[in-house]
Amino acid sequence: MKGQEKLTMDFVKSLMEPSYTWVWVDYRDNLDNCRDTIQKCLEERNCERLLEKVDEWYSDAEWEAVRDIVAKLKDECISSHDFGKEAVEQFFGEYEYEIREEIYSRNSSDILKELVKNTDDIPVRVEMLSDYDCINSNWLESQDGYRYEESYFGDMVDALNLNPARVKKTLKEKGYKTCGRFPDKKHRDGKEQVSYGQFYQELINSCCGANLLTYIGKVSLEELYDTGFSFKEVIIPKGNCCGLFSSMYGGGSLLEMELREDIRLRLEVKDYHGFRFRLDNERSTYECSIKRVYGVCDSFFGEKISLVAS
């Protein structure tokens, strides 16, 4: 033996590389088909579900990589340092756990991060919930007249920072009935999120029940991952759109109310009132998606939204 009388853990450690890359992730490998799993991560506010998925996919490759590293360490002990094969096998068998743990500690692979980086931006919806449930089709809502007070319609007018009096004027000019008070909130003039004309067009083209006011955009999975899937607010960029959509029935309106400025929304639901964040998952078996219902491509959703971490 070359200056080495006995195998020790310190000696085996000295033969190891400073770090090991167990698995190389191909640039074509991604999480594009894992929207259900990503939604679970959002609901649970951590990435455990994706880690489980990665472990399911790559555990065999990782096990083989560690096995190869151990085999090379054994070979180096025998061929380069003149330890007997039997002694080496006995030592590696006795300290198998410690050796593997040391190799694990030197793993430089971050499979999940690489897959996340390779994943396309994801279409998303931010939906407004209300104590007044939803807004129905234009036909149904217009039968008794649009009502501002104590209605989802009124909550939607407020969310879009529209002046109720100007909304009433627009509807009356187009021949639609209204009922109840529509106060004149002049402080909103010039600060509306969308135009009154586009708001009217969105209303009259609504032909589905159980609609929610829905903002659309795209989100970077890398940004979701970096926030730990936990964030309190989103910023929808100017130029993106919002509109009426029903994920329950699979319909809505034009979704063409263009935002006049960046809109910051707090993702907090209290007593069924507030905003919720959803992936627009066309493969979902639990709800309808804009992408599937409207047959649109990802560009329809506009620019990426920004996440404000909690």
Side-chain angles (χ1 to χ4, degrees):
M1 289 182 286
K2 299 177 181 179
Q4 183 69 27
E5 297 180 352
K6 186 179 180 181
L7 273 174
T8 64
M9 271 301 300
D10 285 342
F11 177 73
V12 173
K13 288 179 184 180
S14 73
L15 301 180
M16 294 181 184
E17 300 290 337
S19 64
Y20 293 103
T21 302
W22 294 355
V23 178
W24 294 97
V25 177
D26 190 276
Y27 73 94
R28 293 166 295 186
D29 294 335
N30 55 59
L31 299 165
D32 286 340
N33 296 320
C34 296
R35 300 286 167 82
D36 286 340
T37 305
I38 295 168
Q39 184 65 53
K40 286 290 185 184
C41 289
L42 285 166
E43 292 165 3
E44 297 168 4
R45 297 184 174 230
N46 59 59
C47 62
E48 291 303 313
R49 298 286 184 139
L50 283 176
L51 287 170
E52 290 172 5
K53 182 71 71 175
V54 168
D55 185 61
E56 177 186 325
W57 289 345
Y58 290 93
S59 59
D60 287 347
E62 290 182 337
W63 185 87
E64 290 177 5
V66 174
R67 183 190 62 183
D68 290 344
I69 292 169
V70 170
K72 288 177 182 177
L73 290 171
K74 287 180 180 179
D75 183 65
E76 189 168 355
C77 287
I78 295 168
S79 62
S80 300
H81 297 277
D82 295 335
F83 287 104
K85 182 177 181 180
E86 185 176 335
V88 170
E89 291 291 348
Q90 182 178 345
F91 180 86
F92 274 73
E94 184 178 348
Y95 290 93
E96 178 181 7
Y97 176 79
E98 290 85 349
I99 292 170
R100 285 183 172 272
E101 282 297 297
E102 184 63 31
I103 294 171
Y104 282 121
S105 73
R106 299 181 186 224
N107 176 28
S108 64
S109 304
D110 193 335
I111 299 171
L112 178 54
K113 193 166 186 177
E114 290 298 312
L115 292 172
V116 164
K117 187 172 66 175
N118 294 344
T119 301
D120 291 337
D121 292 339
I122 304 170
V124 296
R125 309 188 307 268
V126 181
E127 302 168 335
M128 188 188 83
L129 303 181
S130 164
D131 296 328
Y132 301 106
D133 196 22
C134 61
I135 184 170
N136 291 298
S137 67
N138 175 61
W139 179 85
L140 187 58
E141 291 284 343
S142 63
Q143 295 304 297
D144 296 323
Y146 280 97
R147 174 185 295 275
Y148 170 71
E149 296 177 313
E150 298 183 349
S151 69
Y152 189 95
F153 173 77
D155 283 349
M156 184 168 65
V157 168
D158 289 341
L160 294 172
N161 207 41
L162 299 174
N163 185 337
R166 292 187 64 182
V167 170
K168 178 178 181 178
K169 180 181 178 182
T170 300
L171 290 172
K172 297 288 276 185
E173 286 176 347
K174 301 296 184 179
Y176 283 90
K177 291 189 295 183
T178 62
C179 60
R181 291 180 62 252
F182 280 71
D184 188 5
K185 299 188 177 184
K186 295 182 182 295
H187 64 279
R188 295 183 180 179
D189 292 345
K191 300 176 183 177
E192 298 90 344
Q193 290 184 12
V194 299
S195 73
Y196 292 94
Q198 288 184 342
F199 180 69
Y200 167 74
Q201 288 296 325
E202 195 69 22
L203 289 177
I204 66 169
N205 282 284
S206 173
C207 57
C208 181
N211 292 293
L212 298 178
L213 173 62
T214 303
Y215 296 80
I216 59 176
K218 290 181 288 190
V219 69
S220 159
L221 180 56
E222 194 166 13
E223 191 173 355
L224 286 176
Y225 177 76
D226 288 342
T227 66
F229 293 91
S230 180
F231 48 96
K232 289 290 187 180
E233 297 178 330
V234 294
I235 300 173
I236 317 289
K238 175 183 177 180
N240 274 26
C241 292
C242 62
L244 300 177
F245 181 69
S246 172
S247 61
M248 180 184 298
Y249 293 120
S253 190
L254 302 174
L255 293 168
E256 288 182 351
M257 293 192 291
E258 186 175 334
L259 298 177
R260 292 176 157 183
E261 58 185 22
D262 292 354
I263 304 299
R264 191 173 184 131
L265 301 175
R266 186 165 182 81
L267 303 176
E268 186 175 54
V269 178
K270 291 184 177 179
D271 300 325
Y272 201 67
H273 187 88
F275 292 94
R276 69 180 180 189
F277 183 91
R278 302 290 297 172
L279 303 186
D280 193 65
N281 181 10
E282 61 185 314
R283 296 184 179 87
S284 174
T285 56
Y286 306 105
E287 61 182 12
C288 300
S289 73
I290 292 172
K291 194 170 181 181
R292 185 173 183 179
V293 171
Y294 286 68
V296 293
C297 59
D298 289 359
S299 62
F300 176 80
F301 291 82
E303 300 302 317
K304 282 195 298 185
I305 69 174
S306 300
L307 309 179
V308 182
S310 56

